[in-house]
Amino acid sequence: MSEVPIPKEKWTGKIGIAVLGSSFEDGGTRKSRLLIGGQTGMPFLSYEGATPNRPLFAGEVLDTIKDYPELAKKPFGDALEDPARWARVWVEQFGADVVCLKLLSTNPEEENKSSEEAAATVRRVLETVSVPIIVYGCGNVEKDARTMEAVSNVGAGERLILAQAEENAYESISKAAIANDHLVVAFSNLDINLAKQMNILLTDFGVKKENILMDPLQASLETGLEYSYSVNERIRLAALTGDSMLQIPMICDITAAWKSREATEENEKYGITEKRATWWEAATGLAALLSGASMLIVRSPETVRILNRALDDLMEEG
Amino acid sequence: MPTAIEIFKLLPKKNCGECDYPTCLAFAMQLANQKVKVEACPHISEQAKASLAVSASAPIRLLRIGVGESRVEIGDETEIYRHEKKFFHQTCYAVVLSDTLSTQERREGLERVNGLRFERIGQIMKMDMIGIRNDSGNLEKFATAVEEVSSSTDLPMVLFASDPQMMRAAVARVAGRSPLLHAATAANHNAMAMVAKETKCPLVVREDRGLDMLADLVQKVKAIGVEDIVLDFGPRSLKDLLENSTIVRKVAVKKTFRGLGFPIMVNAGAGERAILMAMISTMKYGGIVAFDEIDPAEALPLFVLRQSIYTDPQVPIQVKPDLYPINNPDERSPVVFTTNFSLTYFTVMGDIEKSKMPAWLQVVDTEGLSVMTAYAAGKLTPDTVAKALESSGAKDKSKRGDIIIPGMVSRMSAKLQEITGLKVIVGPKESSALPKFMKNL
């Protein structure tokens, strides 16, 4: 009888664990704290490692739907008009583990809502749902610095995830995170060396390593997905072979899928648009999961359902 | 290929020089680089020669299915991760039609398969194979169905039958098409392997009770004389699929087990789970995925995923240099130029689309380099831009008399203006600033 040797790699490193949210015991108001990370092998290869914490799904909530695609609106209806309501629909109806709030309205070149208004939105979301919250600014460095400070204070004790620290703009957000023991998303653009450098910059600045999440940039299915896929794999391999500065959980924003024209284009030849858009995002998400993502930011509830199903099947017992 | 030291250990170490190299080590180094054949050494033992042949052979066999232009190749892979080099032969997709369908239904099925064909940035993405499955249990019905389908398509075929006699009858009807036969199993392998051997068709070996038993069955099939083998381990779950595909690839590439060095086939079925299986198989080492059914909304993202994973990391995908209309431009709309690196093209195109402003996007051939890289390498110059505008007839499409250039190459403004006679407008440095820029034009 043949004996096929199981190619169990002997990894010397593992991914660190990040704690999202603070429960009542920890001084917060989340229903429970959630853990991500802790993987000890390449993604989902149970014969060589464990996935102690199931990857999580963060439902995307925007505080302005100016540029939000029509096709994505249906599942939420008029809850889209209020971030708190939208967040509740995500958690109660669609099973999102986490809510990802993007404060786009604070953009000085658009609505220019104040940082205080934005912080108030965060407070209302915190009061409406009891899952961990990720908070993004608008992308304007100066404004985001003020917004993150206000958000950090409003969310004190809740272990928010503040996003995002970038190579040339990481000090304010790090300060805001350190002040109230929040986590920070460290962003790099498809560059493993920069990804590592960001973690070094942040930890040197005073952010605890276990409070960092890495975002190596998730490219969409049509627009360079393979770059993200390979960067993610290389990061995971480096972490498992002992590079401690890369032993940090990865978060991937797969809403990027919705930017692809073919994902949402009305074209009979391409089949039912809604189904196609879902699979576009799901394919992006599946690639992210298979290459090492510990958390995904998602736009479509259907995508969450499909990927949860995939996770059930990838992580089945026995 | 083993290393020079590994080869040296197998050589006689006489340093006789008869191979035209001064020492055995020198010869070993040449052999490691495939600059010389092992036969050049007159004193190497047969055992050593055999050992070298094994370690120098491709870890996963190359298989060809079908004939002519639509013939597909699978296997011949050497990597576990695409970033270490590349994946060579992309996963092939097949749709399987039942022999119990009417002629009309089969024709419609074939039409649907042919409809799953999309062109993107100059590349064709489509289904690769047609399968016919013996559900009827009737030899004549199966053979007729196979013959019928073969006359309506050039696509390579996969024949699904568990009865070797029925398989033989069907293959006889499509002599010369080199179909893939599914499958040899524990119950039928002697007779089925004979069919494959005598008809010289590649053969799937199917065993879902574990890789050890599959390896045994493969050995038996090989002993009968079949070399062109595809593995079907009948995964029960996505976990099963991912793990076994990974194990098969790894032990083959790392040469820790020689008996499973063949491409993998998965019967995905239909529906959501089928697409998940197909996507995972595509990302992780799949050779063939067979569907009972797949619709365009599922196929398009799957095809693009396949194209993505199988691109060569060393070679950037290039877009065809041309003048691309965005948001329905006319002669009052401006021309913008960018390079033919696909990532650059899609980013800039997307941002202009977002602006909702009509424009003509001139893609300039820079051999797939981005704006800055191409400019630094001298591959993006006023001359190459001018030439691109000439070939595409941009000046006839837009009568405005100006051109918007990427902010990063503002230095070429004067020269470009001089050569083309167009007024140069320097655009933003970042594509993301294009929507605002376009609106303020």
Side-chain angles (χ1 to χ4, degrees), chain B residues 70-374:
Chain B
S70 60
R71 184 180 77 174
V72 295
E73 289 187 341
I74 53 174
D76 197 18
E77 300 288 345
T78 58
E79 307 305 319
I80 292 163
Y81 303 106
R82 63 179 290 278
H83 63 257
E84 292 191 327
K85 199 190 239 175
K86 65 181 272 198
F87 289 157
F88 290 90
H89 295 106
Q90 65 178 23
T91 313
C92 289
Y93 303 133
V95 168
V96 186
L97 303 171
S98 173
D99 71 345
T100 57
L101 295 176
S102 68
T103 301
Q104 172 69 2
E105 286 170 324
R106 255 196 300 278
R107 194 180 309 135
E108 285 164 6
L110 254 175
E111 258 167 48
R112 280 196 297 276
V113 169
N114 291 333
L116 295 174
R117 185 194 167 87
F118 312 102
E119 188 173 332
R120 258 183 96 246
I121 53 171
Q123 299 189 335
I124 308 279
M125 303 185 295
K126 61 182 188 58
M127 296 304 289
D128 307 288
M129 300 194 274
I130 292 282
I132 303 98
R133 194 173 48 234
N134 181 1
D135 289 324
S136 66
N138 180 298
L139 186 149
E140 193 49 44
K141 202 160 178 158
F142 181 51
T144 307
V146 167
E147 187 171 5
E148 202 183 272
V149 169
S150 78
S151 62
S152 330
T153 183
D154 290 332
L155 292 180
M157 295 165 65
V158 190
L159 308 185
F160 290 76
S162 51
D163 181 321
Q165 246 197 319
M166 299 203 197
M167 184 70 89
R168 190 184 284 277
V171 176
R173 304 282 181 99
V174 290
R177 288 289 290 260
S178 189
L180 175 65
L181 310 184
H182 188 291
T185 61
N188 71 12
H189 68 275
N190 283 317
M192 194 61 91
M194 284 308 290
V195 176
K197 179 176 171 187
E198 285 162 16
T199 58
K200 298 199 184 27
C201 289
L203 177 65
V204 181
V205 176
R206 181 183 163 88
E207 174 56 72
D208 63 6
R209 290 170 292 173
L211 294 182
D212 292 345
M213 291 189 70
L214 177 61
D216 277 352
L217 192 55
V218 167
Q219 212 171 44
K220 291 191 183 124
V221 166
K222 278 189 80 176
I224 291 171
V226 178
E227 297 280 351
D228 289 330
I229 291 168
V230 175
L231 309 174
D232 178 357
F233 51 77
R236 259 175 290 277
S237 63
L238 297 182
K239 172 179 166 167
D240 216 13
L241 172 64
L242 175 66
E243 292 188 350
N244 282 330
S245 300
T246 305
I247 292 169
V248 166
R249 173 65 63 97
K250 270 200 181 171
V251 301
V253 162
K254 291 188 165 192
K255 305 199 180 182
T256 51
F257 185 82
R258 308 291 320 207
L260 289 176
F262 301 100
I264 294 166
M265 172 167 177
V266 176
N267 283 302
E272 203 169 89
R273 191 156 173 277
I275 305 305
L276 288 171
M277 292 204 99
M279 288 184 172
I280 290 178
S281 190
T282 300
M283 287 187 268
K284 293 291 173 185
Y285 321 127
I288 301 172
V289 178
F291 300 93
D292 290 339
E293 225 184 291
I294 179 169
D295 73 49
E298 298 165 327
L300 184 59
L302 178 63
F303 287 170
V304 178
L305 179 67
R306 171 177 65 176
Q307 186 184 57
S308 178
I309 296 297
Y310 278 85
T311 57
D312 184 340
Q314 310 291 340
V315 177
I317 317 184
Q318 300 179 31
V319 175
K320 192 165 81 129
D322 204 348
L323 187 70
Y324 292 86
I326 306 178
N327 299 326
N328 288 312
D330 56 30
E331 51 183 38
R332 296 163 297 170
S333 312
V335 178
V336 185
F337 88 75
T338 190
T339 72
N340 76 331
F341 175 36
S342 76
L343 221 54
T344 302
Y345 164 75
F346 280 116
T347 307
V348 171
M349 193 264 288
D351 283 324
I352 296 178
E353 256 185 7
K354 200 163 137 189
S355 75
K356 308 259 201 295
M357 303 303 295
W360 299 96
L361 182 59
Q362 175 67 56
V363 168
V364 179
D365 187 353
T366 55
E367 293 165 32
L369 299 175
S370 66
V371 171
M372 274 180 55
T373 314

